[in-house]
Amino acid sequence: MASTVVTDQVTLTVNGQSVTVPKGTLILDAAKKIGIDIPIFCSHPKMAPVAVCRMCLVEVEKMPKLQPACAVYVADGMVVRTTTEQVQKYQKGVLEFLLINHPLDCPICDKGGECPLQDQTYQYGPGASRFDFEKAHFDKAVPLSDKIVLDRERCILCWRCTRFSEEISGERELALIQRGVHTIIGTFNDEPAQSNYQGNWTEICPVGALTSREYRFISRPWDLDRTASICPGCSMGCNIQVDARHNRIGRFQSRENLAVDDGWLCDFGRYSFPTFQRQGFEAPRVRQDGKLVEVSFEEAIAAAADGLAQARGAVAGWASPAATNEELFLFQRLFRQRLQSPHIDHRAFRPTWPDPDPDDMTLPIADLERCDYVVVLGGQEVIDAAPVLHLRLFKSERRGVKVLKIDAEQGARAREWVPADAQAVGILATVSHKKEATDLQAALGKKVKGSVRRLLVVRGPNGRGANDLGILPNFRPGYEGLNGQSGKGRAEWGKGGIGAAYIFEASPLHAFEATEDERRWLSGLKTLVMHRFRASPLDDLAHVIIPGRAFTEKAGTVTNMEGRVQRIGRAIDADAVPDDWMVLQAIARKLGAPWDYHESSDITADLLDLIPQYAAVDRGERVLWSERT
Amino acid sequence: MSIREVLEGPLYIVRALATTFKHNARPRVTIEYPERQKVVPPRHRGRHILHRYADGLEKCVGCELCAIACPVGCIVVEAAENTPERRVSPGERYAKRYEINLLRCIYCGMCEEACPYDAITMGPRYDLADDHPDKFIAVKEDLLEPLQASLGDTARPSAAPSAQAEPRKW
Ligand code: SF4
Ligand code: SF4
Ligand code: SF4
Ligand code: SF4
């Protein structure tokens, strides 16, 4: 009988089906592997088991009592049954207890229709309640913060939210207060919650106790049109699902991508959607005799093309790092080929910027967990630039990765802190501290045995794509130099020699943000074309205003900070406004370009011809520039 | 034509007239519509009514269960939140927009059956003819019963959202 081979695998049977899983697997996960569903409320794949809801009780042979499948590890030869009469009786019992004080709020509850408690009551619960007395009442619609509404009656005390704030975000903001039937969820002293990750609570809460204020009573889940997209908040590139109703954005939900967001979103990104909500359709405007006059799109495009052509060779072009790769690809072609003006940029104003290079993204986000030392150069500044990074760093720390958060100037401290025998070192910094990051990388490269890699957080959901596609005065797409034909960067535009400017402000979150000096020289231009989604402070200086589309109204690809090319989807119809790439094409055609694209996917195809590395988009992978050499 | 047929002719006329006069004396089954309206049975499924509680608050909470139950999809509901300044229904939520396309409606009564608050019922009205399709979109104001009509109906379902009641503090 005794097997002499020691393996890490154990074999057990669940409902008569045999399954082999690694040691240390929970019964719940082993059953899931063969498609057996065990109902749960408190268990969550990313949190340690607590077994408080008792919903997952199963029968395990040779154990006297039912066992919680979410907290018992498998053992060789274990025999588990999940559908016996006793299990069913307990499931009914647990649900009946949960429903004793759970209000019959489903019709007014935002979770109704996608609520695990509803679903499991249907599937496993009793049809009726035997509880004839008045339910316990707690406070309803408690504002937990300006983002979250808490309904204490609906809470089933699964602890998921409190465990999130302890194990996932590490902020320990939520706690269980009181005991027994009096237990409630709350913050310390009832102060408003401050976390930047509160939206995640609403997604993990298995009932409608925690709901988003922005989404309150907007829709029922079955009304929503769901479109897979990417968060427009920052260069992290978290995967989202845009839920829209009646052609209005209702909410952004997480669409788990373990390599990028690990299933979480930050509140900055999640609740940024009102910025992209269309307020109406405005007409393009052209300045005539000093006044802006409404015109048709054709006239505005003709006026823009005219004005830009007159300044041929001396046109400055700024594209937002929130524009899609397809738009940026056309943008740089328009400037380099049609306007003979390589003066393009996508960056914020700064006297000098370090040149980007493909090595800025040699450290994939998910690999942070596999480093032994991570230096966050800039500390909170890096987290603010890409908030979900904090969750990844905290997870890594819990797994034993040493993380040092220091100011960007304190590189010397990091040099001492990382020991020479480190196997894998990661450096995180924002792009404005690239120099400090590369210096540290070089120094550590000499000191430690293992690898030292860096990841720079860029600005905007497609800041990386803007670098890759050469929205820079001195690089062609693919980081190829321009052999002395470099144009002027944003910092030099004000110094003269620029006759017209085209500002493509695709997202209000990543706008041009002109400095006082810039406003001064912009106001002296003969032609300023503003192509933007929302009214911009530069509108009053513009000669031509072309309304554009929101992030949620177009399709295309964006590249996140680690070089992962991901698709955004068109969730909202805005057919009255030409797509941003169509405007760029129309202007280029006026200037003699033979372009004839009909879909943004046609542009993607051309883009792949130019930069074959971008074929990674079809595999959901990162662009590996090393393939170039 | 035979002589017999010629002689029988007037007889037929008399018999026919007799039928006519007989019916003249019988009770009438038609009514003088539209001056007079037919009384429909209590469960008649005519145009919908949105009901109110005795205090005038609307019963509908904008849950959209009627909309999802409707087999032809002719109901649109959009909900909003009650505020202390503007309280429309007893709970947290009310229907900001409630529309039924009466041309699409097949008067099946599924909406009535789905409603957890008895907020919508099929009413007695059947004379729905009009001269433009747009006029068949019944909006909330058309469907809501007038304020005084509900007075006297004091029963509020026990499942009504409990925000109304002072929450018991433990
Ligand atoms: S608020 Fe939701 S997530 Fe938190 S304990 Fe209650 S039911 Fe669980
Ligand atoms: S970290 Fe960035 S991409 Fe992710 S949710 Fe936040 S803003 Fe959006
Ligand atoms: S009566 Fe039937 S068809 Fe008409 S609105 Fe109600 S559910 Fe829909
Ligand atoms: S009428 Fe009834 S079912 Fe329809 S939205 Fe109102 S409360 Fe819900």
Side-chain angles (χ1 to χ4, degrees):
Chain A
M1 277 294 286
S3 150
T4 47
V5 191
V6 183
T7 69
D8 286 345
Q9 303 285 316
V10 291
T11 302
L12 66 157
T13 47
V14 185
N15 292 353
Q17 260 176 287
S18 143
V19 57
T20 306
V21 289
K23 240 185 208 149
T25 305
L26 297 164
I27 297 179
L28 180 73
D29 298 324
K32 198 184 270 166
K33 199 177 161 197
I34 46 173
I36 293 173
D37 210 22
I38 299 174
I40 49 163
F41 290 115
C42 69
S43 163
H44 192 280
K46 298 197 178 80
M47 301 174 196
V50 282
V52 290
C53 77
R54 313 312 284 175
M55 191 61 212
C56 65
L57 292 175
V58 292
E59 214 175 280
V60 180
E61 222 165 68
K62 301 205 187 82
M63 292 209 185
K65 285 199 291 185
L66 296 191
Q67 298 294 315
C70 76
V72 174
Y73 295 104
V74 293
D76 217 11
M78 205 179 228
V79 180
V80 179
R81 292 193 198 89
T82 71
T83 50
T84 60
E85 214 168 282
Q86 198 193 6
V87 171
Q88 284 175 2
K89 184 171 163 225
Y90 272 65
Q91 287 170 340
K92 280 200 172 62
V94 168
L95 278 166
E96 195 172 2
F97 271 127
L98 285 179
L99 293 175
I100 277 182
N101 280 329
H102 189 85
L104 283 174
D105 261 357
C106 304
I108 60 159
C109 173
D110 269 338
K111 198 82 174 189
E114 54 181 8
C115 173
L117 182 59
Q118 273 188 331
D119 296 348
Q120 293 184 22
T121 305
Y122 262 113
Q123 203 173 343
Y124 303 99
S129 171
R130 292 173 290 173
F131 186 78
D132 286 340
F133 311 99
E134 174 81 4
K135 287 174 184 265
H137 289 297
F138 293 96
D139 294 335
K140 294 181 83 69
V142 181
L144 209 51
S145 67
D146 51 353
K147 303 174 226 171
I148 303 292
V149 184
L150 166 69
D151 188 306
R152 291 203 164 116
E153 281 185 350
R154 293 182 198 153
C155 173
I156 58 167
L157 299 172
C158 71
W159 309 5
R160 272 189 181 181
C161 53
T162 57
R163 283 186 291 154
F164 178 93
S165 89
E166 190 170 328
E167 297 173 27
I168 308 286
S169 73
E171 294 162 320
R172 296 169 183 259
E173 272 211 294
L174 290 183
L176 295 151
I177 303 168
Q178 299 278 4
R179 287 202 248 165
V181 73
H182 311 291
T183 318
I184 52 168
I185 294 290
T187 51
F188 176 71
N189 262 355
D190 275 340
E191 279 161 21
Q194 313 253 316
S195 168
N196 192 16
Y197 308 98
Q198 298 174 27
N200 298 307
W201 304 342
T202 67
E203 283 195 45
I204 55 173
C205 180
V207 293
L210 292 162
T211 51
S212 290
R213 172 146 295 285
E214 287 283 3
Y215 175 67
R216 199 158 164 80
F217 305 155
I218 293 294
S219 177
R220 315 246 54 190
W222 56 79
D223 290 324
L224 294 168
D225 301 318
R226 294 154 198 262
T227 312
S229 194
I230 301 298
C231 173
C234 76
S235 62
M236 184 93 183
C238 299
N239 292 200
I240 59 165
Q241 169 184 292
V242 181
D243 286 349
R245 182 183 188 206
H246 294 166
N247 213 26
R248 310 266 306 156
I249 313 166
R251 62 179 181 186
F252 289 168
Q253 288 283 86
S254 166
R255 189 165 55 88
E256 183 181 69
N257 184 340
L258 293 178
V260 181
D261 47 53
D262 211 12
W264 313 118
L265 298 181
C266 74
D267 290 347
F268 173 71
R270 183 191 298 269
Y271 298 124
S272 69
F273 73 85
T275 320
F276 299 96
Q277 198 78 273
R278 183 165 280 284
Q279 308 290 348
F281 291 98
E282 51 171 335
R285 279 172 291 165
V286 169
R287 196 173 292 275
Q288 284 167 7
D289 308 324
K291 275 235 229 55
L292 286 169
V293 192
E294 294 195 354
V295 294
S296 68
F297 274 98
E298 288 73 29
E299 290 166 300
I301 285 166
D306 236 31
L308 297 178
Q310 278 172 24
R312 207 183 285 262
V315 187
W318 189 85
S320 162
T324 64
N325 287 322
E326 287 69 19
E327 290 153 10
L328 295 176
F329 176 68
L330 294 191
F331 187 83
Q332 56 90 21
R333 263 171 70 188
L334 168 68
F335 275 81
R336 294 213 163 97
Q337 297 172 5
R338 293 294 141 196
L339 294 166
Q340 282 88 44
S341 310
H343 318 301
I344 55 177
D345 215 330
H346 70 275
R347 297 170 295 195
F349 181 83
R350 246 181 70 155
T352 55
W353 277 105
D355 280 339
D357 66 74
D359 290 343
D360 292 344
M361 48 184 167
T362 40
L363 173 67
I365 294 168
D367 271 13
L368 286 171
E369 288 171 35
R370 292 180 269 279
C371 291
D372 3 284
Y373 293 87
V374 175
V375 181
V376 186
L377 263 187
Q380 192 57 33
E381 172 198 84
V382 179
I383 304 298
D384 289 344
V388 169
L389 264 184
H390 162 71
L391 302 182
R392 183 72 74 167
L393 283 170
F394 189 71
K395 180 180 178 191
S396 310
E397 264 185 294
R398 281 175 63 91
R399 295 191 169 185
V401 180
K402 304 254 176 346
V403 177
L404 178 69
K405 290 184 186 160
I406 47 169
D407 284 348
E409 293 73 33
Q410 295 177 307
R413 231 180 95 197
R415 238 169 290 167
E416 269 167 46
W417 176 73
V418 179
D421 60 353
Q423 290 300 315
V425 182
I427 300 170
L428 282 176
T430 60
V431 70
S432 44
H433 290 119
K434 171 163 176 171
K435 185 164 178 318
E436 289 87 342
T438 44
D439 287 353
L440 179 63
Q441 188 179 15
L444 287 178
K446 288 200 198 98
K447 180 179 173 188
V448 305
K449 279 212 308 272
S451 66
V452 183
R453 292 174 293 170
R454 69 170 185 262
L455 177 63
L456 296 191
V457 182
V458 290
R459 179 179 183 241
N462 201 22
R464 177 64 61 196
N467 284 326
D468 290 355
L469 289 170
I471 309 299
L472 290 164
N474 51 347
F475 283 110
R476 249 197 274 275
Y479 299 98
E480 289 189 35
L482 281 162
N483 302 334
Q485 295 177 358
S486 294
K488 294 182 181 135
R490 182 165 169 181
E492 295 150 86
W493 292 345
K495 296 181 186 149
I498 296 293
Y502 185 102
I503 294 182
F504 175 30
E505 223 175 55
S507 159
L509 294 181
H510 301 97
F512 186 75
E513 288 168 9
T515 61
E516 269 310 307
D517 285 344
E518 282 183 314
R519 275 190 75 90
R520 214 161 300 134
W521 72 258
L522 280 171
S523 61
L525 290 180
K526 276 196 72 187
T527 309
L528 170 61
V529 181
M530 281 302 296
H531 180 193
R532 84 287 182 277
F533 165 62
R534 268 265 163 98
S536 156
L538 293 176
D539 282 358
D540 49 337
L541 302 181
H543 301 94
V544 182
I545 298 176
I546 308 176
R549 288 207 185 166
F551 203 78
T552 40
E553 295 167 351
K554 49 190 172 191
T557 61
V558 292
T559 311
N560 82 346
M561 59 174 156
E562 52 166 1
R564 194 177 301 273
V565 191
Q566 309 185 96
R567 288 185 200 283
I568 63 169
R570 193 160 163 271
I572 304 291
D573 281 340
D575 287 343
V577 183
D579 216 334
D580 290 351
W581 66 263
M582 289 179 189
V583 172
L584 294 167
Q585 166 164 300
I587 294 177
R589 284 175 69 104
K590 288 255 187 276
L591 300 173
W595 307 350
D596 190 18
Y597 297 113
H598 295 283
E599 299 270 349
S600 80
S601 52
D602 301 344
I603 312 174
T604 321
D606 266 14
L607 196 159
L608 294 191
D609 280 346
L610 183 71
I611 315 180
Q613 289 92 338
Y614 261 62
V617 64
D618 296 319
R619 305 186 297 268
E621 284 172 6
R622 294 166 55 238
V623 180
L624 295 175
W625 291 101
S626 49
E627 284 168 13
R628 188 173 46 150
T629 47
Chain B
M1 197 186 277
S2 66
I3 297 218
R4 189 190 155 109
E5 278 169 331
V6 171
L7 291 177
E8 276 183 355
L11 190 67
Y12 287 129
I13 293 172
V14 171
R15 275 190 12 212
L17 275 175
T19 307
T20 305
F21 285 113
K22 192 169 83 204
H23 279 273
N24 236 351
R26 279 194 177 176
R28 265 176 289 172
V29 292
T30 57
I31 56 168
E32 285 188 27
Y33 181 84
E35 285 77 32
R36 292 184 54 210
Q37 299 256 340
K38 206 172 152 190
V39 177
V40 295
R43 291 197 172 190
H44 176 83
R45 297 202 300 267
R47 204 209 64 184
H48 320 66
I49 300 174
L50 279 173
H51 294 275
R52 296 180 192 267
Y53 291 112
D55 49 10
L57 291 178
E58 291 168 17
K59 286 187 174 179
C60 176
V61 299
C63 71
E64 294 187 36
L65 290 183
C66 48
I68 192 72
C70 174
V72 294
C74 67
I75 307 183
V76 176
V77 186
E78 275 175 23
E81 187 168 10
N82 283 310
T83 55
E85 300 82 50
R86 191 178 142 69
R87 175 158 290 286
V88 180
S89 70
E92 292 165 33
R93 174 175 175 143
Y94 73 95
K96 178 178 67 179
R97 173 174 173 210
Y98 194 107
E99 288 174 16
I100 302 182
N101 184 338
L102 296 175
L103 280 182
R104 271 208 204 166
C105 175
I106 56 172
Y107 300 92
C108 62
M110 291 294 210
C111 46
E112 172 176 357
E113 211 147 304
C115 181
Y117 295 108
D118 295 334
I120 190 161
T121 61
M122 308 302 285
R125 255 194 81 185
Y126 53 85
D127 53 337
L128 298 168
D130 218 323
D131 58 4
H132 194 277
D134 281 357
K135 297 188 180 163
F136 287 88
I137 309 288
V139 299
K140 200 172 140 189
E141 288 67 41
D142 303 333
L143 298 168
L144 258 181
E145 65 186 346
L147 261 176
Q148 63 277 20
S150 58
L151 294 179
D153 171 10
T154 47
R156 195 177 268 178
S158 60
S162 41
Q164 175 79 353
E166 194 55 32
R168 175 146 35 110
K169 292 276 171 57
W170 289 78

